[in-house]
Amino acid sequence: MRQYRIIGSLLFLWSILMITNSVQAQQMISNGKGLSQQEKSIISIAALTAKGDLENLKSALKEGLEAGLTVNEIKEILVHTYAYCGFPRSIRGLQTFMEVVNERKAKGITDKMGREASLIKADDNKYERGKKVLEELTKTPSPEKLVGYAAFAPVIDTFLKEHLFADIFERDILTYAQRELVTLSVISAIGDAEPMLKGHLAIALNVGFSPKQLNEFITIIQPIIGENKAKSASLVVNEVLKSK
């Protein structure tokens, strides 16, 4: 009887060891994972929209649809860009996407529309909701008093919290990770915004991107934004990764 107990205990320990090894293997696989084709398409679409390169954007939009992004997801990507590169670029991107969708319809191609954004139900005011979203993204409590540019022009802090992080980020068509990918792409494309790029790269790590994926981001965006801007973005990526 004692012998059976010993054998049972050994089998139990062996099973635990196998489960642990399996989990570790999964973690290694996950850590080695590169960007998906959809994520690569998000980078291209956002960066080309920010540049205003509509001809190449058309190709990127088609590739995004073929990679499995829905019509509503791509519309949301293009809408999100306006917060970082303005209405003119965003609207031209949307107009270009309308052309692409209509051309594909004329060829008998039916693209998946995808779901609409869920209705936002919240008791808190928009400023507090946006504040909570920002704290979730940065994993840092908001300061008690406004500092820097926010203290210099408090209205911009209100717009950021109420509109960007409440009105936009709360829309659940895109994940936080996808929205950060759009944001990184636009900021890299417009250039000369290294402090903002640094902050959003840190957020990208917080929402699940790996160092490998952030380095891959640079290789994907470099042909779109050019060597100089890609080099500047790469320096910021290296700085952020070294500080982690």
Side-chain angles (χ1 to χ4, degrees), residues 156-192:
I156 197 69
D157 177 70
T158 301
F159 290 159
L160 281 168
K161 300 286 198 324
E162 292 188 356
H163 184 50
L164 177 58
F165 292 109
D167 287 338
I168 298 177
F169 266 80
E170 283 188 324
R171 288 172 57 81
D172 58 1
I173 296 177
L174 299 178
T175 64
Y176 285 168
Q178 289 172 321
R179 290 191 183 279
E180 283 306 316
L181 208 52
V182 176
T183 303
L184 292 175
S185 302
V186 174
I187 293 175
S188 298
I190 62 177
D192 296 321

Side-chain angles (χ1 to χ4, degrees), residues 14 35 58 62 68 80 95 114-115 129 133 182 207 214 230 233:
W14 179 81
L35 293 169
K58 287 186 77 170
K62 292 173 187 175
H80 187 99
Q95 290 169 334
R115 63 186 183 82
R129 282 165 34 210
V133 170
V182 176
V207 297
L214 293 185

Side-chain angles (χ1 to χ4, degrees), residues 63-122:
E63 290 171 5
L65 289 168
E66 289 160 10
L69 289 171
T70 68
V71 171
N72 283 337
E73 285 171 337
I74 293 180
K75 284 196 290 185
E76 193 72 13
I77 290 165
L78 296 169
V79 169
H80 187 99
T81 64
Y82 103 83
Y84 297 94
C85 63
F87 277 113
R89 293 295 196 210
S90 176
I91 290 172
R92 290 298 286 133
L94 286 164
Q95 290 169 334
T96 303
F97 189 38
M98 287 170 62
E99 293 175 17
V100 169
V101 171
N102 289 334
E103 287 172 5
R104 288 168 68 86
K105 280 182 182 178
K107 293 177 181 178
I109 302 171
T110 303
D111 293 304
K112 186 178 178 182
M113 284 300 298
R115 63 186 183 82
E116 300 281 348
S118 302
L119 182 65
I120 296 171
K121 296 180 180 179

